[in-house]
């Protein structure tokens, strides 16, 4: 993992929880979620509605690990007193139910930004920004733009 922590003079007790979430995604073992997120945790980046708390986060991360089979490479961490921002690269392979049968099996790399609001040593909210358009271009589902002449 290539990782740079910015704001090293600041501390955030939930940084180990954020790192544990990414390790859980990469391993497929989501058992850490009960200890990593608050009982009313909200994932604002989910593509579908979720109940609050660890169970809701487990639902979307099960989709990420079992359907999309994404693996994350952490690039940067930015820390404030109540926020953690992680820039990561998601590595995956297109799957037929999501990307279409004709694109299945094509690899992609997706730049992502994850913003967590924290409470104590737990994650309370998540916002995710993903370059899904870039993924569709990489797998051939959409044409890459050409610069104007």
């Amino acid at each position: 993992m290539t990782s740079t922590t910015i704001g090293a003079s600041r501390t955030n007790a939930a940084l180990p929880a954020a790192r544990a979430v990414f390790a859980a995604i990469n391993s497929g073992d989501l058992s850490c979620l009960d200890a990593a997120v608050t009982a009313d945790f909200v994932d604002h980046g989910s593509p579908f509605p979720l109940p609050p708390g660890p169970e809701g986060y487990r639902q979307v991360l099960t989709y990420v690990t079992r359907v999309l089979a994404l693996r994350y490479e952490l690039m940067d961490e930015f820390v404030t007193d109540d926020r953690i921002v992680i820039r990561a690269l998601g590595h995956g392979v297109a799957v037929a139910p999501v990307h279409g049968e004709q694109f299945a099996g094509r690899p992609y790399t997706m730049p992502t930004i994850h913003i967590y609001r924290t409470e104590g040593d737990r994650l309370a909210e998540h916002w995710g920004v993903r370059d899904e358009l870039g993924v569709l271009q990489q797998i051939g589902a959409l044409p890459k733009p050409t610069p104007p002449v």
Side-chain angles (χ1 to χ4, degrees):
M1 168 179 82
T2 303
S3 180
T4 303
T5 302
I6 298 174
S9 63
R10 293 183 180 257
T11 59
N12 188 311
L15 186 57
R19 289 175 178 160
V21 167
F22 284 93
I25 293 168
N26 289 343
S27 72
D29 177 5
L30 303 176
S31 61
C32 74
L33 296 180
D34 292 322
V37 305
T38 61
D40 59 350
F41 175 88
V42 176
D43 184 354
H44 301 284
S46 173
F48 42 82
L50 299 171
E55 187 51 41
Y57 207 28
R58 188 172 288 106
Q59 287 177 21
V60 71
L61 293 184
T62 296
Y63 174 78
V64 167
T65 59
R66 293 193 184 155
V67 175
L68 298 178
L70 274 175
R71 298 296 176 259
Y72 283 100
E73 176 184 0
L74 304 185
M75 305 305 291
D76 292 302
E77 299 168 337
F78 302 84
V79 178
T80 70
D81 295 338
D82 69 344
R83 296 289 190 275
I84 296 169
V85 179
I86 295 176
R87 183 177 69 89
L89 293 176
H91 300 282
V93 176
V95 293
V98 176
H99 304 103
E101 188 68 41
Q102 67 272 40
F103 307 111
R106 296 182 184 177
Y108 62 85
T109 298
M110 178 176 57
T112 64
I113 303 282
H114 303 267
I115 303 167
Y116 291 100
R117 184 180 66 78
T118 64
E119 292 179 4
D121 64 351
R122 294 184 181 221
L123 308 172
E125 292 183 85
H126 171 257
W127 294 265
V129 180
R130 304 170 294 274
D131 184 7
E132 294 172 349
L133 179 64
V135 168
L136 295 175
Q137 291 170 339
Q138 288 175 59
I139 66 172
L142 288 177
K144 294 181 180 174
T146 56
V149 179

